[in-house]
């Protein structure tokens, strides 16, 4: 595993229940602030293998950004199960997690 990938996996595993971060925040914490898309790739390919809390990561606007409706609904349900509140437009209020 490449060092950046290993660091992203470590960071993702440490996201506590009920907390949400963005792909860009994870990239910055891992030392590569312009690598948000790489974080997406890591989540897509390694979440199951490494037990990553993929549902706790959203885009910079607080939107669930997974490509299909079934996965979007699952992510929303998992976050609501952790008491993450959504705004009326369906976004997570990221200011709560600053």
């Amino acid at each position: 595993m490449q060092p950046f990938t290993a660091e992203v996996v470590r960071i993702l595993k440490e996201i506590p229940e009920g907390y949400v971060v963005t792909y860009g925040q994870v990239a910055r914490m891992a030392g590569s602030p312009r690598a948000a898309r790489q974080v997406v790739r890591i989540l897509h390919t390694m979440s199951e293998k490494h037990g990553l809390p993929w549902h706790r990561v959203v885009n910079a606007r607080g939107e669930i950004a997974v490509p299909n409706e079934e996965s979007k609904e699952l992510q929303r349900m998992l976050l609501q199960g952790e008491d993450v509140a959504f705004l009326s437009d369906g976004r997570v209020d990221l200011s709560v997690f600053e």
Side-chain angles (χ1 to χ4, degrees):
M1 189 181 304
Q2 295 294 320
F4 176 76
T5 301
E7 184 64 5
V8 167
V9 168
R10 184 194 67 74
I11 290 166
L12 292 169
K13 285 183 174 184
E14 293 181 1
I15 302 170
E17 184 175 318
Y19 200 85
V20 175
V21 297
T22 68
Y23 301 107
Q25 286 173 317
V26 173
R28 279 190 298 282
M29 288 185 275
S32 190
R34 297 181 54 100
R37 289 184 185 203
Q38 185 72 0
V39 172
V40 172
R41 184 197 63 77
I42 291 166
L43 276 166
H44 179 73
T45 60
M46 299 186 164
S47 286
E48 190 173 327
K49 179 180 180 181
H50 293 282
L52 302 177
W54 61 272
H55 63 285
R56 296 180 185 145
V57 187
V58 297
N59 72 19
R61 293 178 298 278
E63 299 166 337
I64 293 175
V66 293
N68 67 60
E69 288 303 315
E70 185 178 323
S71 295
K72 284 182 183 182
E73 185 58 33
L74 175 60
Q75 185 172 4
R76 184 178 179 92
M77 287 176 28
L78 290 169
L79 289 173
Q80 287 176 323
E82 295 181 2
D83 293 326
V84 173
F86 285 81
L87 298 169
S88 61
D89 64 2
R91 293 178 304 119
V92 173
D93 183 1
L94 294 174
S95 69
V96 173
F97 303 103
E98 292 178 342

